[in-house]
Amino acid sequence: MQPRKDNAGFSIIELMISLAVLVIIAGMATANWQGTIERHQARQTKQELRTLFQVARHTAINRRQMTTFCPLDAANACTNDWDQPISVFIDPGSLKVLAQPDYLIRTFKAMPNGTLIASHSGPQERRYFQFNPDGTVHGTIGNLTWCPDSLMAERGVHVIVNFGGRIRWGKDRSGDGVVEKASGQPISCA
């Protein structure tokens, strides 16, 4: 009888199969991890938007002054680039311009890992939101949608502002996993 030889390693085929399994598992874990991160970012964005609207509305009521919030350009005028930091400021002349530095109430950083999209006011994207001294919306009502960098609408956030200056969140009433706008249409992140 010959002594039995112990194989001390993997064959090339066993090694390739093991690597293929690891790549598949790593790919599934990465996809799940990305979804977890984006759902967390959506919750964080919701809280930031809630705070933004509350600060603007409460400032208008408490100071009895027109209050505007918007992203500001280099000249401190409202712009429609909602990926910039958003400022809340007293706007007594409703000029949509931060006229004096001491009118600035608070600046919110740009929303992380995604894009804010404002509703349209006429042919252009909304540049600002304003609140009257009684807390109601000045001008037209509107909404903001946050879409994650992956552009997956299922992970988006939608806030709707009514004439009373109150906000509500878009809900998935159709059961397709995407929240709807006030019109009932699903949000779009594409």
Side-chain angles (χ1 to χ4, degrees):
M1 266 196 177
Q2 288 186 340
R4 195 176 128 195
K5 292 182 184 179
D6 288 334
N7 289 336
F10 291 105
S11 71
I12 190 76
I13 293 175
E14 291 171 328
L15 182 61
M16 288 175 58
I17 291 171
S18 298
L19 285 174
V21 169
L22 283 174
V23 166
I24 291 169
I25 291 171
M28 290 177 2
T30 301
N32 288 337
W33 184 248
Q34 180 68 20
T36 301
I37 290 170
E38 286 185 347
R39 283 187 289 281
H40 172 73
Q41 290 166 342
R43 284 190 299 274
Q44 180 183 356
T45 298
K46 237 177 155 174
Q47 184 58 43
E48 288 283 323
L49 289 172
R50 178 181 290 114
T51 302
L52 172 66
F53 278 95
Q54 286 175 340
V55 166
R57 187 169 188 266
H58 290 162
T59 298
I61 293 168
N62 293 334
R63 300 231 181 153
R64 307 289 307 150
Q65 295 271 350
M66 175 78 66
T67 303
T68 299
F69 78 82
C70 64
L72 296 173
D73 63 15
N76 281 337
C78 289
T79 178
N80 61 358
D81 183 2
W82 288 92
D83 288 331
Q84 298 300 314
I86 300 168
S87 297
V88 176
F89 56 93
I90 303 296
D91 193 3
S94 185
L95 302 174
K96 294 113 187 144
V97 174
L98 177 59
Q100 297 180 25
D102 59 331
Y103 284 173
L104 181 64
I105 303 301
R106 186 166 170 189
T107 299
F108 290 81
K109 63 183 186 255
M111 299 300 160
N113 304 309
T115 300
L116 266 181
I117 305 161
S119 57
H120 282 71
S121 296
Q124 294 187 338
E125 188 174 2
R126 173 180 288 279
R127 296 182 303 128
Y128 60 88
F129 288 85
Q130 289 184 306
F131 291 92
N132 293 312
D134 64 359
T136 59
V137 171
H138 182 78
T140 60
I141 59 175
N143 56 69
L144 285 170
T145 302
W146 176 83
C147 289
D149 287 338
S150 70
L151 301 180
M152 293 186 70
E154 299 85 11
R155 297 180 187 151
V157 171
H158 187 72
V159 61
I160 303 161
V161 187
N162 68 21
F163 282 115
R166 306 264 185 203
I167 64 169
R168 69 181 172 90
W169 301 103
K171 302 260 188 239
D172 175 20
R173 298 189 195 290
S174 65
D176 65 355
V178 179
V179 298
E180 285 99 26
K181 301 176 187 179
S183 66
Q185 296 297 315
I187 64 169
S188 173
C189 290

